[in-house]
Amino acid sequence: MGRVEITNLFREFTRDDGGRVVALSDVNLTIADDEFVSFVGPSGCGKTTLLRIIAGLDTANSGEVRVDGELITGPGQKVGMVFQEYSLFPWQNVLTNVAFGLRMRGIGKEERYSIAKKFIALVGLTQFEESYPYELSGGMRQRVAIARALATDPDLLLMDEPFGALDAQTRNHMQCELLDIWGTKKKTILFVTHSCDEAVFLSDRVVVLSPRPGRIREIINISIPRPRDRTNKEFIDLRRSLLEMIDEDERKEERIKCKSGNL
């Protein structure tokens, strides 16, 4: 489970001065069960907005999103989300943080703690069940956030730059951890990142969004066998192609801003 269908999605915002900003326009995309898809593009192209609409945390002006055929109209059990900021409760330990979503669903203490412990073990933090977020490293806190999102057994896992605040070594380690978890649990994962290297390393497909308004500029299939070698020529070529595509779009956007007097 976890098939996603995005149809004719359009989202605009109203500024304080009454002007309108179109964040997404005419976005159409189908994502298969168990697929790992990353979204890249220039800053402000609507990547996070798109993820929030899929999660039911934001509403499109027109168009629709369906997960396993069910129309998304708000947050629900089919979708879990991991944010860059970890979003853990500082007053709760690892066990109660991971069990929180289960508690909100009315699952009894013994059962929810049993489920939570399985996912804490999955992310390699069994010995830290009683620890609090302030006692953990950034990578460990993000593993707790992933365990909490998986504990409710969503069909679809959304990840908004989950490793963006980590140092390079920890980030690379977490990417491998995530692929191991994905291989074990077989969830559909939609992953927003600014890193082309990360996108090529992780994904089955990479969706490139254009500068605002965000549209699908290109979809790139990544057929390199896993585990992937970042020094492999095909890997390097794909990463370079993505970088050049995004750089070209950013330069075009800067020229448009200059001509319009917005710089």
Side-chain angles (χ1 to χ4, degrees), residues 22-23 41-47 194 210-214 253:
V22 178
S43 296
C45 70
K47 299 185 293 295
H194 276 95
S210 66
R212 186 185 300 148
E253 189 174 23

Side-chain angles (χ1 to χ4, degrees), residues 226-238:
R226 295 184 177 95
R228 291 173 180 161
D229 179 357
R230 299 176 200 267
T231 64
N232 173 277
K233 183 180 185 303
E234 187 178 357
F235 188 104
I236 293 170
D237 289 344
L238 280 168

Side-chain angles (χ1 to χ4, degrees), residues 140-163:
M140 293 166 74
R141 289 196 295 272
Q142 199 57 289
R143 277 191 273 171
V144 176
I146 293 170
R148 184 174 65 181
L150 290 171
T152 56
D153 195 28
D155 295 331
L156 173 64
L157 183 61
L158 308 178
M159 309 187 78
D160 188 8
E161 292 218 64
F163 309 143

Side-chain angles (χ1 to χ4, degrees), residues 200-219:
V200 174
F201 185 78
L202 292 173
S203 312
D204 294 318
R205 290 190 294 164
V206 179
V207 177
V208 183
L209 295 180
S210 66
R212 186 185 300 148
R215 297 183 175 92
I216 294 178
R217 184 193 197 280
E218 193 159 342
I219 299 175

Side-chain angles (χ1 to χ4, degrees), residues 97-184:
N97 259 293
V98 173
F100 178 78
L102 300 168
R103 179 185 175 189
M104 292 297 99
R105 294 184 182 181
I107 296 174
K109 182 176 180 180
E110 184 176 347
E111 183 181 357
R112 71 175 181 260
Y113 279 7
S114 175
I115 295 170
K117 286 180 178 182
K118 290 177 183 177
F119 285 93
I120 291 169
L122 181 68
V123 299
L125 292 176
T126 296
Q127 61 185 342
F128 296 95
E129 287 179 3
E130 301 301 322
S131 299
Y132 287 82
Y134 74 89
E135 299 176 297
L136 306 176
S137 68
M140 293 166 74
R141 289 196 295 272
Q142 199 57 289
R143 277 191 273 171
V144 176
I146 293 170
R148 184 174 65 181
L150 290 171
T152 56
D153 195 28
D155 295 331
L156 173 64
L157 183 61
L158 308 178
M159 309 187 78
D160 188 8
E161 292 218 64
F163 309 143
L166 304 178
D167 63 83
Q169 184 175 354
T170 304
R171 185 169 187 158
N172 287 350
H173 176 70
M174 287 300 300
Q175 290 166 7
C176 294
E177 291 270 352
L178 178 60
L179 287 176
D180 286 343
I181 292 168
W182 175 65
T184 301

